[in-house]
Amino acid sequence: MGSDRDVHDTEVSSRRRFLGKSAALGLAGAGVLAGCKENGAGAAASSSASAAAKSHSGSKVHVEPGQLDDYYLFSSGGHSGEARIIGIPSGRELRRIPVFNIDPMVGWGITNESKAILGTKADGSLKYTTGDTHHVHGSYKDGTYDGRYLWVNDKIHSRLARIRMDTMECDKITELPNVQGFHGIFPDKCDPVDKSINHTTRVFCGAEFAIPFPNDGRDLDDPSKWGSLFTCVDAETMAVRWQVRVDGNMDLTATSYDGRFACSNQYNTENAPDQAGMMSAERDACVFFDVARVEAMVKAGKFTTIGSSKVPVVDGRKAANADPKTAVTCYVPVGKNPHGVNASPDGKYMVCSGKLSPTATVIEVALVAKWFDGELKTERDAVVAEPEIGLGPLHTAFDGKGNAFTTLFLDSQIVKWNVAAAIAQFKGDKSAKPVVDRVDVHYQPGHGYASMGETKEADGKYFNSGNKFSKDRFLPVGPLHSETEQLIDITGDKMVIVSDHTAYPEPHDAIIVRRDIVKTRQIYNLDDFPNKVTAENAGITRNGNKVHVRLMSQAPAFSLPVIKVKKGDEVTITLTNHDKVEDLTHGCAIPTYNVNFIVNPQETKSVTFKADHAGAFWLYCTHFCHALHLEMRSRFLVEG
Ligand code: CUK
Ligand code: CUA
Ligand code: CA
């Protein structure tokens, strides 16, 4: 196996020489940038990796029938608009969480309760029915996950959603004002002023696209007037607290462990409206926000507002922040068009992956603090390392033992490199060799994430490579392929790919959380639902043409065998599931009326619709619940 790896390394480095820096630094070969690697290289990679998997996997990742996984992987779902839960190491998909999408399985986007969270127009229809989720992050306490919340972004409509981890359901969605291309999110880990508040109270949001302020049709032909805002959302109320206007754009977001900083990598410091312009500067930046200073500005009334939005907007542009001692922002120069910024678990560093530069840039958080204190000459002096790691670095994860793992999109590799060695090399130590190991993945990795890697409890067990192309890895299923997620054992010096699993297009980022942190409810609590239906209020009430059907389910029956309404009525059906047995879910579907949702044990949901056509329709249970599941139905009769 060792010689396989050596042969392969040679092959890869010659390919790198062949591509040269023009591919990394310029526009050369759109196909290369798009990840169209030649098949030959791919096939070679494939055979060496499967040999590695054969020699190493077995019991390590095979979770025996009846056994449980060690970790939860919480993943975004890309333009499916959802979030997902996967067991690690098995790769078994455990659940999908509808967020910005419509999901008839649970009734998301169909029930009144989910519509209220998603947001409706004046006529009661949904404001949006699509979403594009990229980043899932969890709430923190003491520098690690506390199992309360997950947050996920919607890039299309600039919304932030929160998921309760006890039920794994979205409970709030906030649309961010005056931004577009809301991409990076990260919760804070500690309060910037009151250190006794060492849990998440804010979520920071970076916006990629510049737009006119306000975006109401003005300045359409003058992009020089457009801009991007960094947004802070309250973790509990989900209200937008404040925004900061920046020079350039934002991409990914990270937060420091001490609570002082949020930061965002910028690939378009040029503020260019076109691709060539976005790649014109030799360096871009990672912008740091001094959170306490921003909040002091807001408190002191030193802000503006945009259009009808009441959210305070603080000026974080360079011209207004020339004096470090009062600045709210610090723009640290990094490699060209970087992608991804990640905090090391020791709290010391932020790592920006180069993307168009074959490097990663290591920024020391304490030096950024020094800059804000006026004790550092230039912003660039906060950079303590910039190792060459390979082509197309996108995202970096950590093992908690001083090593970083960066996805190389163009090289189709994960590179393991040592942060201390990179720093030594940067200082001039010629014997320091940062790169420890490389492994081929299949193919073109985007995000990579390590077990507990975004916490102080990073345990260095697993790294998951989220690959953008799978080609020959699975049975072909038509022109649209599955994505591959590859699990890598990172406990040893050498990385070992231990399994592949599929992913429905297209997850971006995920977090891997130890299972003991996640404490879910077994059933719902009846009293959590103000509109619950009990024996006391069950039945049909009418108020003019508004009919309220209060229904109960208990296996294997609904409480009403017949529900009769008149054509033209506005019908609300509220259904409470009175079963208390774990996993005993019932469904409620009405043919031709587009009603389709489930109620879990002790849960209540409702739907409202117009009975606009007459006839007999069987309201039936969709979720297999009992030997008499098929018989579990009521007659929904609409008189003409
Ligand atoms: S982004 Cu998709 S691979 Cu939205 Cu985090 Cu980098
Ligand atoms: Cu109730 Cu099936
Ligand atoms: Ca750029």
Side-chain angles (χ1 to χ4, degrees):
M1 198 196 103
S3 64
D4 263 21
R5 175 67 57 78
D6 294 342
V7 167
H8 199 69
D9 263 356
T10 317
E11 186 184 300
V12 166
S13 36
S14 66
R15 181 156 45 87
R16 181 174 298 117
R17 274 197 300 278
F18 168 69
L19 287 169
K21 283 205 174 171
S22 61
L25 299 179
L27 267 171
V32 172
L33 282 173
C36 301
K37 192 160 98 172
E38 271 175 50
N39 271 333
S46 170
S47 63
S48 91
S50 58
K54 251 179 234 144
S55 66
H56 216 282
S57 61
S59 61
K60 272 206 152 159
V61 285
H62 182 66
V63 178
E64 292 287 331
Q67 298 299 302
L68 305 181
D69 280 294
D70 296 327
Y71 298 90
Y72 289 89
L73 186 154
F74 298 103
S75 166
S76 62
H79 42 291
S80 74
E82 62 189 17
R84 298 164 189 167
I85 312 177
I86 288 145
I88 292 292
S90 73
R92 298 185 292 207
E93 183 176 281
L94 304 176
R95 186 161 164 198
R96 293 180 173 198
I97 306 171
V99 183
F100 303 109
N101 56 324
I102 309 294
D103 186 354
M105 196 285 278
V106 293
W108 192 254
I110 296 167
T111 63
N112 295 326
E113 293 74 19
S114 60
K115 280 181 171 174
I117 293 167
L118 281 160
T120 52
K121 297 192 271 199
D123 68 355
S125 64
L126 289 171
K127 189 171 177 194
Y128 306 114
T129 56
T130 58
D132 183 15
T133 61
H134 284 231
H135 303 110
V136 177
H137 293 290
S139 55
Y140 285 79
K141 186 169 175 31
D142 295 328
T144 192
Y145 299 124
D146 64 5
R148 283 187 307 148
Y149 295 125
L150 300 166
W151 284 276
V152 60
N153 74 308
D154 168 25
K155 182 167 168 174
I156 306 178
H157 308 302
S158 295
R159 290 175 295 172
L160 178 71
R162 184 173 74 186
I163 293 164
R164 288 171 56 150
M165 288 178 77
D166 62 342
T167 59
M168 296 300 175
E169 285 175 326
C170 172
D171 75 335
K172 275 186 191 297
I173 292 177
T174 297
E175 186 171 344
L176 311 183
N178 298 310
V179 299
Q180 226 170 74
F182 159 36
H183 193 206
I185 62 167
F186 219 99
D188 67 2
K189 300 172 182 119
C190 191
D191 191 86
V193 181
D194 182 354
K195 301 290 180 202
S196 69
I197 305 173
N198 61 351
H199 63 265
T200 295
T201 58
R202 306 166 180 80
V203 182
F204 299 105
C205 311
E208 258 186 271
F209 309 154
I211 52 170
F213 295 133
N215 194 14
D216 58 1
R218 72 187 66 194
D219 300 333
L220 294 186
D221 300 317
D222 189 1
S224 71
K225 289 190 175 152
W226 303 2
S228 301
L229 305 176
F230 189 73
T231 304
C232 174
V233 176
D234 189 282
E236 280 306 322
T237 65
M238 291 287 283
V240 178
R241 283 194 181 188
W242 44 259
Q243 297 183 301
V244 178
R245 179 151 184 198
V246 300
D247 283 321
N249 74 333
M250 279 148 302
D251 188 16
L252 280 284
T253 302
T255 58
S256 66
Y257 278 84
D258 64 3
R260 181 161 180 189
F261 301 118
C263 62
S264 191
N265 67 293
Q266 302 190 288
Y267 61 79
N268 187 16
T269 50
E270 301 90 341
N271 228 352
D274 54 23
Q275 212 173 62
M278 290 181 204
M279 297 195 295
S280 61
E282 265 319 299
R283 285 202 177 280
D284 282 291
C286 182
V287 55
F288 283 77
F289 299 87
D290 188 312
V291 177
R293 285 190 191 173
V294 174
E295 299 202 336
M297 296 270 283
V298 171
K299 226 176 170 181
K302 292 177 185 162
F303 60 80
T304 55
T305 55
I306 296 172
S308 59
S309 163
K310 299 217 161 43
V311 175
V313 179
V314 171
D315 193 346
R317 286 174 291 181
K318 284 177 190 166
N321 291 272
D323 178 5
K325 287 191 171 169
T326 55
V328 295
T329 49
C330 169
Y331 297 78
V332 178
V334 302
K336 189 186 182 86
N337 284 41
H339 187 52
V341 55
N342 299 90
S344 65
D346 58 10
K348 287 186 186 164
Y349 308 108
M350 292 291 177
V351 174
C352 284
S353 310
K355 195 172 78 188
L356 296 196
S357 158
T359 56
T361 303
V362 182
I363 300 165
E364 188 170 333
V365 176
L367 293 176
V368 175
K370 263 193 160 176
W371 183 88
F372 277 104
D373 295 340
E375 291 166 21
L376 205 66
K377 259 206 209 124
T378 71
E379 294 88 342
R380 179 69 187 170
D381 292 333
V383 171
V384 293
E386 203 154 66
E388 277 217 24
I389 52 176
L391 292 185
L394 291 191
H395 296 282
T396 299
F398 302 89
D399 64 0
K401 299 174 206 155
N403 298 305
F405 299 76
T406 302
T407 55
L408 300 175
F409 181 80
L410 298 178
D411 275 340
S412 276
Q413 285 186 330
I414 308 304
V415 55
K416 173 182 179 179
W417 53 281
N418 184 273
V419 179
I423 293 170
Q425 185 189 53
F426 195 73
K427 278 194 184 133
D429 179 351
K430 292 226 162 57
S431 67
K433 296 231 168 354
V435 172
V436 179
D437 190 29
R438 299 177 184 279
V439 68
D440 290 310
V441 292
H442 314 88
Y443 307 93
Q444 269 78 32
H447 272 274
Y449 22 91
S451 45
M452 298 298 288
E454 292 185 340
T455 73
K456 282 188 171 165
E457 297 187 299
D459 62 17
K461 289 213 172 111
Y462 293 111
F463 174 96
N464 188 94
S465 175
N467 305 321
K468 299 298 187 194
F469 295 75
S470 69
K471 297 177 197 171
D472 51 12
R473 298 300 283 186
F474 305 115
L475 286 175
V477 286
L480 175 66
H481 289 258
S482 170
E483 314 296 350
T484 37
E485 300 280 311
Q486 290 186 296
L487 194 68
I488 299 176
D489 178 345
I490 54 167
T491 53
D493 286 342
K494 294 252 166 209
M495 295 173 279
V496 182
I497 293 180
V498 286
S499 71
D500 281 16
H501 71 264
T502 60
Y504 186 64
E506 131 166 315
H508 289 249
D509 198 7
I511 55 173
I512 303 176
V513 179
R514 246 182 20 242
R515 76 182 200 197
D516 62 277
I517 290 168
V518 180
K519 298 197 165 52
T520 57
R521 289 191 187 190
Q522 288 176 292
I523 61 171
Y524 287 83
N525 181 354
L526 205 66
D527 294 326
D528 284 350
F529 301 92
N531 59 341
K532 67 177 185 252
V533 180
T534 61
E536 284 77 60
N537 67 358
I540 303 174
T541 55
R542 173 180 286 278
N543 180 3
N545 68 343
K546 290 191 174 169
V547 178
H548 198 156
V549 180
R550 290 188 178 83
L551 196 61
M552 297 184 286
S553 62
Q554 192 151 28
F558 291 110
S559 55
L560 292 168
V562 180
I563 299 160
K564 200 185 242 181
V565 302
K566 293 191 178 72
K567 186 176 159 185
D569 285 345
E570 183 195 283
V571 180
T572 296
I573 296 177
T574 304
L575 173 59
T576 298
N577 183 359
H578 280 261
D579 275 303
K580 286 183 180 154
V581 179
E582 188 175 0
D583 205 14
L584 213 174
T585 296
H586 297 288
C588 174
I590 306 178
T592 75
Y593 272 104
N594 214 28
V595 168
N596 189 4
F597 65 100
I598 57 166
V599 276
N600 297 297
Q602 304 284 291
E603 186 184 30
T604 299
K605 282 182 189 163
S606 67
V607 287
T608 299
F609 58 95
K610 189 137 198 181
D612 57 6
H613 50 284
F617 308 94
W618 286 98
L619 181 159
Y620 72 97
C621 178
T622 50
H623 212 92
F624 212 108
C625 55
H626 189 276
L628 291 172
H629 159 72
L630 295 170
E631 291 84 348
M632 184 168 175
R633 43 192 165 117
S634 302
R635 279 161 283 156
F636 179 70
L637 308 176
V638 181
E639 292 178 326

